[in-house]
Amino acid sequence: MPDTPQRLAGLGVSQGRAAGPVVRMAGPPSLPAPRPVADRDAEAASVARALEAVAADLTKRAGAADGEAAEILEALAMIADDPMLREDAEKRARDGLDAAHALDAAFAGHRDALAGLGGYLAERAADLDDLRHRAVAHALDLPMPGLPAPGHPYVLVAEDLSPADTAGLGPDVLALVTERGGPTSHTAILARGRGLPAVVACAGVTGVPDGTVVAVDGVTGEISVGITAEEAERIVALDRAERARLAASEGPGRTADGHPVKLLLNIGSAADLVPGAEGVGLFRTEFLFLDRKQPPSFEEQVAAYAEVLARSPDVIVRTLDAGTDKPLPFLGLPDEPNPALGLRGLRVDRVVDGVLDTQLEAIARAAESTGTQAWVMAPMVTTVEEASEFARRARAKGIARVGLMIEVPAAALRARLLLREVDFLSIGTNDLAQYTFAADRQHPALADLLDPRQPALLQLIAMCAEAGAEAGKPVGVCGEAAGDPRLAPLLVGLGVTSLSMAPVSVPAVREELAGVTLEECRARARAALA
Ligand code: PEP
Ligand code: MG
């Protein structure tokens, strides 16, 4: 019987509970000092076995993946199987190196050769590093780096996860816990998209040994380490019951005493829409055109926007938000020393002609062709002058309702004046936190500053909501904070009129709001501001 479970605290970023054995994702192995070799043939055989094991593991993963992921894994397996690479490594072992050093040296040689060829082949050099780490780990009898495949359901624990890791998560993963990462990191957004409980910024979690049974609470961020099998079963049953309860939840957002709060969706394309929603609060149009070298045509844009407008009530389309973490190659923006503080969002219009006007016209045409009203907002607005110019151009194209995102403290401070220019505001708490606290939203060590409960952030939200109430115009929140069931009552108490979130988050937020009165929401807001 284990002792009382130890508790670790992180930030809950994707709701749900899970319990299961920990499997840690290993990092790249470091080479120990060279080992004297007694039997050189045996060492060469161990080299060959390591490469075979790596190739077999990648082939197995390719079989379990599909599409592009499967192709990438197959290509990697072929490189690991390359006879030239194997012969080179075996020869180095026969010349007296131990298996790990022989593999390391052979991979280094091939990497340099590829890098020297330039172009596409040089880009493949990084793939060799990944294979090197795997082969060396095998030779040293260490866990393979990269996503584990233990063959049973598990809680994945990692220092951090790359976008490639997260894209490759299999169905055996019960929950994610990372030592680093922030609430708006890739791990968080991807986990929410998949409905996987996730906790980030959890100090000490990578020290929990593999196989230890843990409970993960994706709302409170608490990890209970070393729980009993009965406790794990109880948590799994609770989670199942909670998911069933949420699956049955429907209807518009309201507090217990009937105060309406629109619950809207954040989407990147029509594929993200779910039936029964009250509308779309943030259509991130740049997600349609990431990776494009040529600008999307007017007709292509009209079709993409019309598809969403035709299938959902009340859609707020955001104009392209390019820059920093969302590069749009077709814009040809220069590299900048400080991209988050440079030409991004609406500011791109300062240096690239025509893109904004074409998009506004395409949105207006899509609305006309679907017989709907388009609501359009601009990202990264900073001054009243920018707001007024954006509103003028949008209205000139026939956009019915014009709004602004509040992502920069300067804009929040001038919310009253901005609302004289436009019809609504939508607060992007991800960027508003980044710029209020001067803390990179992707920075793993600054998660506490990016916590949306920070009073300075709440105060800026309150200022916007008060300005909206005075002007009789809607002010919503569309950053990740809006989808956190613990924060929703607080945001409503601050006075926001809608919450826009990943579709998977809507039921829990709806149920949470249904359990509190408006006065209770206001009391929470007062307490949080104090
Ligand atoms: C935000 O900044 O809060 C926001 C919703 O925009 P994005 O996450 O797309 O930058
Ligand atoms: Mg933003």
Side-chain angles (χ1 to χ4, degrees):
M1 177 96 179
D3 300 333
T4 316
Q6 183 204 347
R7 299 198 189 281
L8 297 175
L11 279 179
V13 292
S14 178
Q15 68 201 25
R17 290 193 188 91
V22 160
V23 178
R24 286 173 298 178
M25 191 167 98
S30 37
L31 275 179
R35 173 171 56 76
V37 171
D39 181 345
R40 293 183 178 195
D41 284 339
E43 215 58 28
S46 152
V47 159
R49 271 199 307 280
L51 290 170
E52 271 162 29
V54 171
D57 179 58
L58 290 165
T59 307
K60 188 169 136 208
R61 281 162 192 255
D66 38 39
E68 203 181 358
E71 282 169 28
I72 292 171
L73 291 166
E74 274 163 22
L76 287 173
M78 275 173 64
I79 303 177
D81 223 10
D82 179 0
M84 264 172 61
L85 178 71
R86 192 187 60 242
E87 282 158 21
D88 181 7
E90 283 173 336
K91 179 172 178 310
R92 291 172 195 264
R94 287 206 185 83
D95 289 346
L97 282 181
D98 64 69
H101 283 88
L103 285 161
D104 182 57
F107 272 106
H110 283 243
R111 188 189 200 292
D112 290 349
L114 265 191
L117 293 172
Y120 174 81
L121 289 170
E123 285 171 26
R124 300 276 66 77
D127 295 343
L128 279 183
D129 288 339
D130 183 43
L131 295 176
R132 174 262 173 211
H133 300 330
R134 289 164 179 274
V136 169
H138 189 276
L140 294 171
D141 207 16
L142 294 172
M144 280 241 191
L147 283 175
H152 57 75
Y154 65 102
V155 172
L156 176 62
V157 169
E159 183 71 28
D160 205 355
L161 289 169
S162 71
D165 296 330
T166 36
L169 290 179
D172 274 353
V173 178
L174 300 168
L176 305 177
V177 188
T178 61
E179 183 102 19
R180 297 158 26 116
T184 55
S185 63
H186 286 116
T187 312
I189 289 171
L190 187 117
R192 270 191 293 272
R194 290 199 25 180
L196 265 184
V199 173
V200 301
C202 184
V205 73
T206 49
V208 176
D210 283 354
T212 313
V213 180
V214 298
V216 178
D217 188 324
V219 174
T220 63
E222 190 174 275
I223 312 293
S224 309
V225 181
I227 60 169
T228 59
E230 296 78 57
E231 180 65 359
E233 265 171 36
R234 194 186 66 79
I235 287 163
V236 170
L238 265 179
D239 183 62
R240 209 174 288 131
E242 178 65 4
R243 282 178 195 264
R245 183 178 78 90
L246 293 180
S249 150
E250 56 180 19
R254 303 200 173 287
T255 57
D257 52 339
H259 173 71
V261 182
K262 278 199 170 179
L263 302 182
L264 308 171
L265 308 182
N266 288 357
I267 63 165
S269 74
D272 299 335
L273 289 169
V274 291
E278 292 183 74
V280 170
L282 170 61
F283 177 8
R284 289 181 161 111
T285 54
E286 65 281 356
F287 280 12
L288 294 167
F289 309 120
L290 294 173
D291 300 336
R292 286 292 189 87
K293 300 234 165 30
Q294 297 301 321
S297 71
F298 176 74
E299 289 72 24
E300 186 184 0
Q301 292 193 58
V302 174
Y305 307 148
E307 196 184 352
V308 173
L309 291 172
R311 286 176 47 191
S312 170
D314 294 352
V315 177
I316 301 180
V317 186
R318 173 171 77 181
T319 54
L320 293 175
D321 183 22
T324 61
D325 55 335
K326 288 177 289 195
L328 291 182
F330 71 83
L331 292 173
L333 294 173
D335 282 344
E336 294 181 287
N338 219 341
L341 302 182
L343 296 170
R344 57 164 303 198
L346 182 64
R347 300 169 179 190
V348 170
D349 183 62
R350 293 168 185 240
V351 291
V352 182
D353 277 342
V355 169
L356 178 62
D357 287 315
T358 304
Q359 184 175 28
L360 290 171
E361 197 167 336
I363 298 167
R365 177 74 63 79
E368 192 184 281
S369 72
T370 50
T372 55
Q373 264 204 353
W375 293 49
V376 175
M377 64 182 179
M380 289 292 294
V381 177
T382 310
T383 64
V384 177
E385 289 72 25
E386 281 178 354
S388 135
E389 175 63 9
F390 176 73
R392 185 190 66 73
R393 281 162 65 182
R395 293 200 176 104
K397 296 291 181 195
I399 302 293
R401 311 273 278 162
V402 181
L404 309 170
M405 284 193 79
I406 301 292
E407 304 186 278
V408 180
L413 292 168
R414 308 286 276 176
R416 264 192 190 82
L417 293 172
L418 294 178
L419 275 170
R420 289 193 192 157
E421 308 295 326
V422 294
D423 306 305
F424 67 96
L425 301 179
S426 181
I427 306 170
T429 44
N430 307 339
D431 277 313
L432 189 57
Q434 158 163 270
Y435 295 119
T436 302
F437 297 98
D440 183 338
R441 63 190 268 183
Q442 311 280 356
H443 202 300
L446 302 177
D448 57 323
L449 294 176
L450 298 164
D451 186 330
R453 275 161 295 215
Q454 282 282 0
L457 182 72
L458 298 178
Q459 203 169 330
L460 291 173
I461 297 173
M463 287 179 70
C464 296
E466 277 161 25
E470 239 173 58
K473 295 182 179 179
V475 174
V477 171
C478 66
E480 297 301 316
D484 182 334
R486 290 164 311 164
L487 287 171
L490 174 50
L491 296 172
V492 170
L494 292 172
V496 308
T497 56
S498 67
L499 298 169
S500 191
M501 63 201 83
V504 68
S505 304
V506 172
V509 170
R510 182 192 289 122
E511 294 299 307
E512 188 68 33
L513 285 181
V516 285
T517 64
L518 182 57
E519 195 36 52
E520 282 163 349
C521 293
R522 288 183 176 147
R524 284 195 208 181
R526 279 193 296 272
L529 280 170

